[in-house]
Amino acid sequence: MPSSLHSTSSSIPESLSSLQRLAAQDQHHAGRSGFRLFAHGGEAFALRAVTADQARSTLDIQTYILEDGHSTRRLITRIIDAAERGVTVRLLVDDLSVGGLQKRLAMLDAHPRVSVRIFNPVRHWRRVAPLRWLTFALQAHRLHRRMHNKLWLVDDAIGIIGGRNLSDDYFNVNPAHDFLDIDVAAVGGPAVAQMKRSFEAYWQHELAVPLTTFITAPEGDWREMYALCHRSAKATRYTQSLDALCARSLDSLLSPLTWATSSVVWDSPDAAGAAGLPPIGLRMSHAVGQALSSVQRRLLVISGYFVPEQLDTIDIFGLAHRGVQISVLTNALEASDVPIVHGGYAPHRKALLEAGVKLYEVRRKQRVKRERLHRRRHAHSRPRLSPSQSYSLHAKAIALDSDRLIVGSFNIDPRSVWWNCEIVVIIDSPALNRQLTLIGEWGKQPRYSFRVRLHEGALQWRTLDDHGHSQVLTREPGSPWRRFQAWCCARLGLARYL
């Protein structure tokens, strides 16, 4: 049933914040939450920025990667502004990306209403990079288990989960490279309550260590951090587009909402501390596997890292042999930001194609020059691409039949199944399923992706050249160095750990 963001009721207290009033619409949609997909990085950034600006009570942020950049500096100023208004801010960052940002995070943590915790940290030699990475190597049995979750939760009213980390590459700001990604925003209802429980489970866990355990900054240093971010947040044509999007209202960014039943599932943080393979009771991959096993007709997998090997309850080949029509959109070797992962995927291509699976691999650059793509204001908006940029697919989303979808941080690969901690939302919605399918159809176009086929037992890559003409390649595109990395992975049998 279509719903307006502007529907109001006299039963919604006027004392609530604008975010909470928006979420309170769930009283008209019993047992459901409002959802909107975000495929455009600029809009995904704007939603985070605008909700931080409007936060009144709490701002909970969980991320795998946090990098210094134009987008993150803009977000940090908004985080500090929120704290100055009395908002309680909690930031949980996986330790893998902290590195040289440790001092700046300590400056942020110096604000009395901001708390920073580090998940599964290196306990020693944190300030000496070579020794820090040596510690990672020596304790790989524990430290290769990372918190891959991404969650942005404001006033316990609106939550965002998906594939995007906090970095310029994910918000259409980096002029050289862009990750093509998907987020979903949830408003009110059970989904946001479940996201809150997930965040609390990680925040309170013994592996979430206060940053002050390792480093502290003088009490007033957050002001220096704030000033630094303001001074260095330079205006470029990319950041100007972000700033323009941030001028939009929250209603505009979230319109239209689709109200649907859902289930948010996440790995127990205990899985990161398990001595061996974490038991099935600690892993959310079992829930994903159950959802996939119920598919009857059609499955679309969008996964930046796709390695269909030793996935426990997730059986792509079994579904294909049962007659399910499966399409997979993943990265080409030339586009992958982690070429070694391609070595775990490539050996399966022939078997997948023989089983009837359709394979599409995103190219490093679009192949038709000077094409202009205009951003739409709808939930299935497409990324705005520039021929000067290179691209990698980073999205993690699945369309099941014609009525359900899964969006979150979970890739179809052994790392997501066994080693990382992840979070997804499973949504029952034909409308959102159609929107995700449209995103997939856009990405599968030959101007953006290779269609991988078998011809007389050999692989071919079909696409368009720079003039829009059909092109068939018999040698996999990618540099010698990328080929070597992928070959090493396949030769050494590393797929189980990717």
Side-chain angles (χ1 to χ4, degrees), residues 142-163:
R142 178 178 69 86
L143 294 176
H144 79 295
R145 306 198 176 187
R146 307 316 317 170
M147 182 192 75
H148 197 235
N149 314 42
K150 293 93 174 172
L151 175 61
W152 183 280
L153 185 62
V154 187
D155 285 355
D156 298 343
I158 294 180
I160 308 168
I161 65 174

Side-chain angles (χ1 to χ4, degrees), residues 171-186:
F171 298 122
N172 301 118
V173 180
N174 187 339
H177 183 263
D178 188 29
F179 280 117
L180 308 178
D181 221 321
I182 299 172
D183 284 332
V184 63

